[in-house]
Amino acid sequence: MSTRTGRASAATLTAIAAALLMIVSLAPASQAAGSGFSHLNPGGAPNLTEKVPVNVVFLGYQPAQVDRDTYLAGLPSGYEPVVRSRLGYDQVEKLGLTYTYDYRVRYADKRYENRFFAELGRLATPAPLTVYQELYNEQRDAVTTITDNHHIDAASVERWLALNPPAGVDTRRNTIFFINWFGRSDFKFHVYTKTNEPDPDTGYNFGTERDSRKVSAWGGTTADDEENGYGVTRRVWFHDLSAGPESWTENWNVDEPDLDGNGVEDYRMPPTWEYTADGYRSPDALAGDLSLITRYVALNLLFTTSPLYPAELPTSRPPKSINIDSNVYEGWDGVDASATYLDKELLQQELAELRWRNVLDHDDQDLPFEGEARRCYLATMVDDESCYPELGYEPFANFYLQSTFELDRVLDDQGRVDYEMPVFSYAVPAGTPVPALGFAEDNYTDGTQSYVYAFVSPEIVSSGYGLTTTLIHEVGHHLGMSHPHDGYDSESGVDYGPADEFFFAWYGDQVNSMMSYIDLNWDFSQFDRDNSDRFLTAAYNEAANRLAGEVLDSRHAGRARGELRAADRLLGAAQRSLSRHDYRQALIQAEQAYDRVTEAARRAGVPTDSAAEAMATRAAQARSVVEDLGGPHEFIDTLGPDGPRSQP
């Protein structure tokens, strides 16, 4: 089964990012230095800071098992997000955001533990052993035998923890609960489940049908989630090594450290009972392992991430209105894929929750799967040949090039909206190979997002997928969101995916996020929303700075001073909102600051491109660069039939 793909390969980007550690990311020098503003930095970069609280609650772990100092020693002091797609083009582009972490670690007392584990026992429903628990039992090195199993609803546990935390723990702030039920007299072997969101196009329920979707961690549910919303905003992620073992991180396998045979251990955390003298891991490693999960999963991939693509879209100014321009190449005989496998209302609804400050709409058209579209598709997927050999690029570039030459045909809202997003879906006949469920393309030049692709076929539908959830996911990438299983470690400068020493990063997928591969929900998580709002706050700040520099360099800058001072005050308010972790208000204020600078530009006579002008030149600009493409162009975690999503 094909799966969603991302951007440049983890190994390649890791090496590139490490080499880039010596590169200093310099903000452009202000052309109006000494202009007297406190927060507006004309011509320069944003300087937004946040002290991020991180609550860590050990629930069923004692200090003798998880030493506090050992655990904290592995954690970073802070984080600076970068645009990950730029790393493959030898660019380190920082967002102008700086986080410092405020760790608050505690061990739950016996009374709280008793309450919580009694709740787990109440929620536990007897169930057959999963395929992966049975595989664990067959291992020659397994230290115990799993005799029975229970299903526990993951969302119910998240809700209980979020609304019933230990005294002094504020779950409105990022909170990790590390759970260990094993060793108590009331322990039950168990896995967590989520079964109330089947695929909207096919009705296939991954949560009930596949043991690979039985998990050991969960969190990130929003207040207004249609199925499991709290009604109030909480930021909780729990992780339970006494659950499972499970498929997603392959921690059922305690016989083979190197899963892919490349000579490097695929590092994963075994079940709690394997942390013993004769087990898979030494008990002394437990504190360090939980620290690894905190740093490389919870912090880097969930709480404070880096965007895959720039949060500012490729427009001359931040867009107020966005059109999802959906085009389906209809090549599946007898099936209208756009009508059968694309829920346009759900697509727009979910994306609007992420880009809530934009006026978002959607239009679609069916295109025949013939001519250049079919020729270039088959050249890529069947012949492995370039559709445009005169340009000298790899066959996979066919998708980008052919779409670029089609822009005039598909972009039909020029002048009506600020940004028109080209989306191309292919519905192909049975037996036709597909490259993935979908992918979000860059521009082959500097890592800027370009087009979105999705694929559907009889085989894909039989695997449970239509087009809707793939497009929500891929448009999420286009808008800047990364997977929760790959990301950037700011302290080391390493971009990584779930392989080798970071194999355990697959834990990040066990979250209520559309950007996951877990297929248990179709929403963006609270963490996604927080990070998107932060990214956009920085993007509006940067746009305001850039335009303010042009205003101050103009002949009539004096006419605009009042508006620039108002923008300065609004950016100060945005910084204060960010410091209070009110990300939505920070975004509103940064957007208002940009609007004041736009008015300043009008008063000073500084031209700003209209949406119509920007859209009218877009296709011509795209075509002008296809003969000069450059830079690496590979994929993060291109998963084949052995990937976690393909497992039963």
Side-chain angles (χ1 to χ4, degrees), residues 277-344:
D278 59 347
Y280 186 81
R281 188 88 75 227
S282 165
D284 295 336
L286 181 59
D289 280 0
L290 297 182
S291 184
L292 288 173
I293 293 170
T294 302
R295 175 174 178 171
Y296 291 101
V297 179
L299 297 179
N300 292 351
L301 308 183
L302 302 180
F303 298 165
T304 51
T305 67
S306 285
L308 178 64
Y309 285 124
E312 61 272 18
L313 294 168
T315 56
S316 58
R317 54 187 175 89
K320 299 287 188 181
S321 56
I322 298 175
N323 171 252
I324 303 166
D325 190 279
S326 178
N327 305 275
V328 180
Y329 289 107
E330 297 282 4
W332 182 351
D333 291 342
V335 173
D336 184 344
S338 65
T340 308
Y341 297 114
L342 179 53
D343 186 332
K344 305 170 184 65

Side-chain angles (χ1 to χ4, degrees), residues 107-120:
Y107 300 82
D109 61 31
K110 186 62 66 178
R111 180 180 179 187
Y112 185 83
E113 288 182 347
N114 289 340
R115 286 181 61 210
F116 172 71
F117 290 119
E119 181 68 10
L120 278 195

Side-chain angles (χ1 to χ4, degrees), residues 23 57 73 82 86 152 170 186 253 301 338 447 467 537 629 635:
I23 297 178
V57 180
V82 303
R86 305 285 199 215
I152 301 176
D170 184 358
D186 56 356
N253 190 334
L301 308 183
S338 65
L467 287 171
T537 298
L629 304 181
F635 287 103

Side-chain angles (χ1 to χ4, degrees), residues 519-554:
D519 304 316
L520 296 177
N521 69 288
W522 320 119
D523 310 281
F524 292 99
S525 73
Q526 185 61 49
F527 310 130
D528 293 330
R529 292 186 185 186
D530 291 346
N531 284 301
S532 180
D533 287 348
R534 288 167 167 140
F535 300 159
L536 290 169
T537 298
Y540 273 111
N541 192 333
E542 192 277 334
N545 288 346
R546 183 175 63 250
L547 185 54
E550 297 177 25
V551 170
L552 290 178
D553 285 344
S554 70

Side-chain angles (χ1 to χ4, degrees), residues 561-576:
R561 282 284 181 179
E563 294 295 335
L564 294 181
R565 284 194 292 270
D568 184 52
R569 290 192 294 271
L570 283 163
L571 289 176
Q575 170 62 76
R576 291 189 293 275

Side-chain angles (χ1 to χ4, degrees), residues 466-584:
L467 287 171
T468 305
T469 62
T470 299
L471 286 175
I472 298 169
H473 178 102
E474 301 306 340
V475 173
H477 278 322
H478 188 93
L479 296 174
M481 307 311 294
S482 290
H483 297 130
H485 60 247
D486 57 63
Y488 178 76
D489 183 68
S490 176
E491 191 169 86
S492 64
V494 171
D495 197 278
Y496 60 94
D500 297 340
E501 68 268 35
F502 298 114
F503 190 82
F504 63 91
W506 281 123
Y507 275 128
D509 269 359
Q510 299 181 29
V511 66
N512 197 51
S513 171
M514 185 61 246
M515 301 314 299
S516 164
Y517 283 0
I518 203 75
D519 304 316
L520 296 177
N521 69 288
W522 320 119
D523 310 281
F524 292 99
S525 73
Q526 185 61 49
F527 310 130
D528 293 330
R529 292 186 185 186
D530 291 346
N531 284 301
S532 180
D533 287 348
R534 288 167 167 140
F535 300 159
L536 290 169
T537 298
Y540 273 111
N541 192 333
E542 192 277 334
N545 288 346
R546 183 175 63 250
L547 185 54
E550 297 177 25
V551 170
L552 290 178
D553 285 344
S554 70
R555 293 176 55 193
H556 303 295
R559 300 175 183 175
R561 282 284 181 179
E563 294 295 335
L564 294 181
R565 284 194 292 270
D568 184 52
R569 290 192 294 271
L570 283 163
L571 289 176
Q575 170 62 76
R576 291 189 293 275
S577 294
L578 187 66
S579 299
R580 296 193 303 270
H581 324 296
D582 188 348
Y583 310 119
R584 301 235 135 174

Side-chain angles (χ1 to χ4, degrees), residues 597-648:
V597 178
T598 300
E599 175 60 20
R602 188 192 67 78
R603 294 188 179 191
V606 174
T608 57
D609 291 342
S610 70
E613 291 168 338
M615 293 297 293
T617 60
R618 183 174 172 197
Q621 290 172 340
R623 282 193 296 273
S624 73
V625 303
V626 298
E627 297 183 5
D628 189 30
L629 304 181
H633 197 81
E634 303 168 8
F635 287 103
I636 287 178
D637 30 71
T638 304
L639 305 175
D642 296 326
R645 297 180 86 181
S646 307
Q647 301 307 304

